[in-house]
Amino acid sequence: MRVLIESIVMALDAVRANKLRSGLTLLSIAIGIFAIIGAGTAVTSLNTSVNGELASLGQNTFQIRRRPSIVLGSRDWIRYRNRKPIDFVQAREFKRRMESAEAVSVNDSEERLIVKANNLSTDPTVTVSGIDEGYFLCTNVTVDEGRELTAEDITLNRPVVIIGRDVAERLFPFSSPIGQQITIKGHRFTVIGLQKRRGAILGSSLDNIVYVPITLYQKYFAEIVSLTIYVKAPSKEALGFVIDEAIGVMRTIRNVKPGEDNNFEIETNESLAASFSSLTEYLTTFGFASGAIALIAAGVGIMNIMLVSVKERTREIGVRKAIGATRSNVMSQFVIEAVTLCQIGGIFGILLGLLGGLALSVAMGFQSVSVPLDWLVGSVVICTVLGVLFGSYPAWKAASLDPIEALRYE
């Protein structure tokens, strides 16, 4: 323990004695660890936030789309692009045939629209979503003021809407929006409900939205669309059976011949989470690769510092060996010094990485910020390994000095 403490103190003395050289080396280590921890914090927070949003859809809900929500690779994109869209006729027929489902909902959205009311207007960032009466049951999105859309609103094409909190605060800052008139693309609607606040994800607000009846959405907003169908099973245990039935019904409606692949996608919360995790792996790999490159450069700097330290302390090494220090004593001393230098840089890197990851998470509007404890432990281990690897050669060189020649060194 005494040798360990003395070695740590010597390492700190070396940092103080060569501030610029040591500072640049420690900065390299800090940058490497910053890249690793920053990417880890951002990815962990991103996955946690997305999984939380998916969980809000319910464990017994799945979606049917023309193509997957996440497509990786141009070849797959071309294949999915050539699929025929899911139109309203198909969606309505699917909804009629699905007997085992608790609820079925049809949905589509158009982004970057302007909503007006009185003399006020929103930025061109509002999402208009066409829905039917089953949407709120399938997605667990709730209305905390006013009422939800009904089947009569859909069939009678009533010009009514439900708006998000951001839209309400922008257009009706001093009054209740219920019963008020808004205008979208020149079409007037009456506000009948206010969505409960949902927050943001990936930097996009989930409250900057307007819900309109799907029939009016197709009439006023959609030109060529492929609808999304939400299906809710009666229970989690019945989910598999309902998915099988949905596949059979959709294959029949879309005229998929026996032996042919489905020309639509079934997405559950688990499959969406898995697809998203595969996407975030690229960010993790990039962060780790960037950090690894910086750490290798830092390791070379550590070796340089230790070699200079060995040269400057040649007489000290000679004295130690002359009074009985063994080769292993000298080697362990210099290896501990190298590890200490790496850990100092690693601590700064961890702090910077946590701050950077948290800042990015907040800026992106993640609903929860998660600190990857396994990445923190891994960073400490990496710094230790880095010190051992790049400190071993200088330590071996110090331990190999002849004590007599070392004592004669000027």
Side-chain angles (χ1 to χ4, degrees):
M1 179 60 69
R2 181 179 178 183
V3 174
L4 176 62
I5 295 175
E6 289 180 352
S7 299
I8 294 175
V9 172
M10 290 179 182
L12 297 176
D13 289 338
V15 172
R16 285 193 294 266
N18 304 279
K19 293 182 177 63
L20 179 60
R21 183 178 64 193
S22 300
L24 292 175
T25 302
L26 297 182
L27 179 62
S28 299
I29 298 174
I31 291 174
I33 298 298
F34 164 77
I36 295 174
I37 294 297
T41 301
V43 168
T44 303
S45 300
L46 179 59
N47 286 332
T48 301
S49 183
V50 170
N51 290 337
E53 185 62 29
L54 291 176
S56 69
L57 297 178
Q59 294 183 339
N60 51 333
T61 299
F62 62 93
Q63 304 171 31
I64 303 176
R65 301 175 181 270
R66 180 178 66 167
R67 57 174 177 253
S69 301
I70 300 175
V71 180
L72 301 176
S74 58
R75 181 177 299 178
D76 288 340
W77 177 260
I78 294 174
R79 177 164 61 91
Y80 296 134
R81 184 191 61 187
N82 293 332
R83 288 178 173 178
K84 294 181 179 180
I86 300 175
D87 57 33
F88 188 65
V89 174
Q90 294 176 0
R92 185 171 54 189
E93 180 64 16
F94 174 85
K95 189 173 182 178
R96 186 184 68 82
R97 294 191 185 188
M98 282 298 296
E99 299 178 353
S100 63
E102 179 180 344
V104 179
S105 176
V106 183
N107 168 251
D108 190 50
S109 299
E110 183 176 348
E111 300 177 345
R112 294 184 289 275
L113 295 178
I114 298 174
V115 182
K116 299 179 181 179
N118 302 320
N119 296 322
L120 299 176
S121 64
T122 67
D123 294 330
T125 56
V126 178
T127 298
V128 174
S129 183
I131 63 172
D132 59 16
E133 73 281 1
Y135 179 81
F136 295 97
L137 181 59
C138 288
T139 61
N140 289 336
V141 176
T142 58
V143 174
D144 58 358
E145 289 186 35
R147 66 174 179 86
E148 300 177 356
L149 292 177
T150 64
E152 289 76 14
D153 294 328
I154 309 302
T155 57
L156 298 177
N157 290 336
R158 289 174 178 164
V160 294
V161 295
I162 297 169
I163 63 176
R165 291 283 176 176
D166 289 352
V167 178
E169 292 172 358
R170 176 69 175 176
L171 299 180
F172 309 103
F174 306 111
S175 62
S176 172
I178 306 300
Q180 303 274 12
Q181 299 286 316
I182 66 171
T183 303
I184 311 174
K185 282 190 171 181
H187 304 288
R188 295 179 67 84
F189 298 89
T190 300
V191 179
I192 61 170
L194 190 60
Q195 175 190 262
K196 184 178 180 179
R197 186 173 292 280
R198 298 177 63 193
I201 185 170
L202 298 180
S204 177
S205 173
L206 300 176
D207 300 301
N208 197 29
I209 190 168
V210 174
Y211 298 99
V212 304
I214 185 65
T215 47
L216 289 182
Y217 175 86
Q218 291 214 304
K219 182 179 179 181
Y220 295 148
F221 304 101
E223 296 179 359
I224 301 176
V225 300
S226 182
L227 301 173
T228 298
I229 302 175
Y230 291 89
V231 183
K232 184 174 184 179
S235 64
K236 187 177 181 180
E237 292 72 22
L239 180 62
F241 176 79
V242 177
I243 289 177
D244 291 339
E245 182 186 5
I247 292 174
V249 171
M250 282 300 291
R251 287 179 64 91
T252 302
I253 293 174
R254 289 172 67 81
N255 298 317
V256 180
K257 297 178 180 180
E260 292 182 352
D261 293 335
N262 295 334
N263 57 4
F264 55 90
E265 295 295 320
I266 301 289
E267 294 184 330
T268 63
N269 291 351
E270 289 76 11
S271 65
L272 285 171
S275 298
F276 193 80
S277 295
S278 65
L279 180 64
T280 56
E281 285 178 2
Y282 289 101
L283 178 59
T284 304
T285 302
F286 175 78
F288 190 85
S290 301
I293 294 173
L295 288 175
I296 291 174
V300 174
I302 289 292
M303 182 180 292
N304 177 61
I305 285 180
M306 296 308 299
L307 287 173
V308 172
S309 179
V310 169
K311 191 174 185 65
E312 292 175 345
R313 294 158 59 187
T314 300
R315 286 180 60 82
E316 173 194 326
I317 296 170
V319 172
R320 285 178 173 269
K321 299 189 75 172
I323 61 176
T326 63
R327 287 173 57 90
S328 62
N329 293 144
V330 177
M331 282 197 66
S332 62
Q333 173 189 335
F334 281 89
V335 168
I336 291 172
E337 289 185 26
V339 171
T340 301
L341 289 172
C342 291
Q343 294 295 350
I344 294 173
I347 290 172
F348 285 108
I350 289 173
L351 294 176
L352 291 175
L354 289 176
L355 292 175
L358 293 175
L360 179 61
S361 300
V362 172
M364 293 296 290
F366 298 155
Q367 296 182 4
S368 59
V369 179
S370 301
V371 178
L373 297 179
D374 52 340
W375 287 63
L376 295 180
V377 175
S379 297
V380 175
V381 173
I382 290 173
C383 288
T384 303
V385 173
L386 189 71
V388 172
L389 287 178
F390 289 93
S392 294
Y393 175 69
W396 172 82
K397 190 171 183 179
S400 301
L401 289 175
D402 181 87
I404 297 176
E405 295 297 327
L407 286 171
R408 291 175 178 175
Y409 182 80
E410 294 294 337

